[in-house]
Amino acid sequence: MRHCLASLFLWSFAAVPAAHGQEATPNVAHAPQDGGIVVTGKGPEPIRKARRYLHEVLESDSGQLARFVDPVCPLVLGLPERFRAPIEERFRIVATASSVRFAKAKCQPNLMIVFADNADALIETMRKRRNAAFANLDEGALRDAFTAGPIHAWRLIVTRDDRGNIATGDEDPDFPTIFESETQTVTINSVIVMDKRAAQGKSVRQIADYAAMRTLVGARPPAKGSIAAASILSLFDPAVAPPPAEITDMDLGLLAGLYRLRDPYAQGGDHAYRISRAMVTGRQR
């Protein structure tokens, strides 16, 4: 996707009026919450538990899980600077500890964390105007983007080989694209749009950690029922009280396992299985 995600969302914000009487910003803590992140875990988790957790929060038909290969350039929109900066700082701390690479200096955003007065209204306005932020998305991503609720999260994912050749998605299934080398599913850009009312009462640490799991991994809370393991993805689950204060060992194991995965282009490998083993043994394969 060659267009700038930031400009698309800034334009869209102007088209959606704020709800009458609604607070302009969520009541999140605005002081930086740095604190080091160590991706280790308090003790070995059984592989069965790790596999169950991965099955609950991930979707993969091919066995491959998508991740950013190009450096990540994040941008937080919709909040005053006193909120934006700490959220991005915490996001970078968690991601860097998990071996996510960030773009240097000025860059074109390919990961966006957007706060809206009314998330559904913003998405609907963008949808009606055929906003290019939805271009090239597959059916699953479009469903994620358009499903009503306080949080909308989607990713543009492509099939790419290690030389950068990309499948367009328009190929005849009887005559598939011929790649020069093994292929991988790659995240090109990722967006999460959150209703400010949902963020109210949550801390910078909670919001940033939740956004990291949704955008960098594509993980999500189960449609029905709670997650079997402690997870920041339960942040908005009313059945989980108190909500997790920050990203958990299980979450970090998944995030770090995905971005430290060796030889992701290898055929016949089940990424979830390899990551679950790494979560238990601490060794990447």
Side-chain angles (χ1 to χ4, degrees):
M1 188 179 288
R2 299 181 182 276
H3 50 71
C4 179
L5 284 172
S7 62
L8 293 174
F9 274 93
L10 286 171
W11 175 85
S12 298
F13 271 129
V16 181
H20 177 70
Q22 186 172 316
E23 292 187 30
T25 58
N27 184 28
V28 296
H30 61 270
Q33 301 182 48
D34 40 20
I37 296 291
V38 179
V39 186
T40 58
K42 299 177 180 178
E45 291 284 354
I47 290 181
R48 182 180 300 177
K49 183 176 181 180
R51 288 283 287 171
R52 181 179 178 185
Y53 161 78
L54 295 182
H55 177 74
E56 289 177 333
V57 305
L58 295 175
E59 288 185 1
S60 174
D61 295 327
S62 65
Q64 285 199 356
L65 302 176
R67 68 181 181 183
F68 280 96
V69 173
D70 299 326
V72 175
C73 180
L75 180 66
V76 180
L77 283 176
L79 295 178
E81 176 63 19
R82 68 180 185 276
F83 294 107
R84 290 199 310 267
I87 289 175
E88 183 174 333
E89 179 184 355
R90 171 67 182 184
F91 182 93
R92 285 177 176 271
I93 289 171
V94 171
T96 299
S98 300
S99 300
V100 176
R101 295 189 303 125
F102 284 92
K104 298 180 180 179
K106 293 183 179 180
C107 54
Q108 181 170 309
N110 58 4
L111 186 153
M112 302 201 52
I113 304 171
V114 182
F115 294 87
D117 290 321
N118 187 319
D120 284 341
L122 174 62
I123 295 297
E124 183 59 24
T125 296
M126 295 172 65
R127 181 180 186 177
K128 288 180 177 178
R129 301 192 178 193
R130 300 181 182 275
N131 193 287
F134 304 131
N136 303 316
L137 297 180
D138 61 25
E139 291 183 4
L142 288 172
R143 182 175 61 251
D144 292 338
F146 298 150
T147 299
I151 298 171
H152 302 250
W154 68 92
R155 297 183 298 166
L156 173 58
I157 296 174
V158 301
T159 299
R160 188 169 86 176
D161 66 16
D162 58 4
R163 298 189 181 186
N165 299 310
I166 297 177
T168 64
D170 298 325
E171 297 87 352
D172 185 327
D174 295 326
F175 300 94
T177 300
I178 297 177
F179 290 96
E180 295 184 44
S181 56
E182 303 294 357
T183 61
Q184 179 187 15
T185 50
V186 175
T187 302
I188 299 300
N189 61 55
S190 186
V191 179
I192 181 170
V193 178
M194 185 178 301
D195 198 304
K196 292 179 181 179
R197 289 169 294 185
Q200 287 179 350
K202 304 296 189 294
S203 71
V204 162
R205 186 181 298 259
Q206 289 172 312
I207 293 296
D209 292 358
Y210 181 87
M213 292 298 294
R214 296 300 304 268
T215 58
L216 293 173
V217 181
R220 69 189 74 186
K224 295 181 180 180
S226 298
I227 304 172
S231 171
I232 191 64
L233 295 167
S234 300
L235 182 61
F236 301 101
D237 185 344
V240 178
E246 61 183 351
I247 196 167
T248 67
D249 289 340
M250 195 72 82
D251 299 327
L252 285 170
L254 170 54
L255 178 57
L258 178 60
Y259 280 88
R260 294 177 183 175
L261 190 67
R262 298 175 184 174
D263 194 15
Y265 290 93
Q267 288 294 315
D270 184 331
H271 287 177
Y273 174 75
R274 294 164 64 189
I275 291 171
S276 65
R277 286 187 60 85
M279 292 167 68
V280 174
T281 66
R283 296 191 298 270
Q284 303 299 321
R285 296 179 57 193

